[in-house]
Amino acid sequence: MSFALILLCTSFHGLFSQIHQNRPVFMNITETHQLLKAMSFAADKHRFQTRKDSAGTPYINHPINVALTLMEVGKEYDTELLVAAVLHDTIEDTATLPEEILKSFGKNVLDIVMEVTDDKNLPREERKRLQVIYASKKSTSAKKLKLADKICNVTDIIHHPPGNWTIERRLDYLTWAEQVLQGLKGSNPMLEDRLAAIIREGRAKFEVQFS
């Protein structure tokens, strides 16, 4: 746990001084506390989980990267959005209850998290279908978070895929991610462009291997 928290704090060092429109962006004490509390909460909830890559990467790396992508690629610095990014998989992938997030982080954060949470009681293909259908209906904040999430997931599919995924399955994932992207447009052009570029990169790489 201590290593995970050190990693989280190091990764988010840039939160305290980011350059945006040639001006430093600083977090106040309350915002810093909320983000650090979210880091600790997520690290605890995901502590027994790993990603599906062959290295068994600690799962907590993923929400860290999603929040960093919002900042570094999307130039998004809203604290509630970044907190939601850190927490975005806690309800979907752990035993976390919505009431826990509501009590500790407030309704706005909970609303964003709930918007990007899939119903794991549904089959995987149905969950994917619903993501495509409802992408355009999400709030602007949820769209931004989904874009950052997809950027990180597509990057992993290209460079650190699950060991049992064939090239064909990885190409299918890119096609699906591109369909979701269409519904998320209009929220953050920088995130949209990055996701589109990464999908093109992956498709070019996999189609060569597949041919």
Side-chain angles (χ1 to χ4, degrees), residues 61-195:
N61 288 22
H62 171 65
I64 294 172
N65 287 333
V66 172
L68 284 173
T69 298
L70 281 166
M71 292 181 59
E72 296 177 349
V73 177
K75 309 304 179 188
E76 296 286 346
Y77 306 112
D78 178 74
T79 304
E80 289 183 331
L81 177 58
L82 296 173
V83 167
V86 173
L87 302 174
H88 80 274
D89 276 337
T90 54
I91 292 177
E92 182 174 322
D93 291 329
T94 78
T96 303
L97 297 174
E99 292 77 13
E100 295 178 74
I101 293 179
L102 177 63
K103 180 179 179 180
S104 295
F105 304 102
K107 185 177 185 301
N108 290 343
V109 170
L110 175 61
D111 287 347
I112 299 170
V113 172
M114 292 304 298
E115 277 196 84
V116 301
T117 297
D118 286 347
D119 182 354
K120 282 295 189 72
N121 293 315
L122 298 174
R124 180 171 60 87
E125 290 303 316
E126 177 64 7
R127 298 198 305 269
K128 291 174 65 176
R129 186 185 73 85
L130 291 175
Q131 280 202 39
V132 174
I133 290 175
Y134 289 114
S136 64
K137 299 176 175 61
K138 295 190 180 300
S139 67
T140 300
S141 293
K143 286 181 178 180
K144 292 173 181 178
L145 179 43
K146 289 296 290 185
L147 284 165
D149 187 31
K150 286 288 180 285
I151 289 169
C152 294
N153 284 333
V154 170
T155 299
D156 283 348
I157 291 300
I158 296 172
H159 299 291
H160 309 287
N164 61 344
W165 277 42
T166 64
I167 295 296
E168 183 175 12
R169 183 171 180 183
R170 291 158 79 180
L171 280 167
D172 287 345
Y173 186 94
L174 296 183
T175 298
W176 169 69
E178 194 168 44
Q179 292 170 349
V180 176
L181 168 60
Q182 300 311 307
L184 299 175
K185 288 185 174 179
S187 56
N188 184 304
M190 292 174 288
L191 293 170
E192 295 159 23
D193 290 347
R194 177 64 64 87
L195 179 54

Side-chain angles (χ1 to χ4, degrees), residues 17-31:
S17 180
Q18 283 288 328
I19 302 302
H20 180 50
Q21 296 179 349
N22 299 318
R23 292 176 298 172
V25 175
F26 296 100
M27 300 182 71
N28 63 38
I29 294 299
T30 300
E31 292 169 334

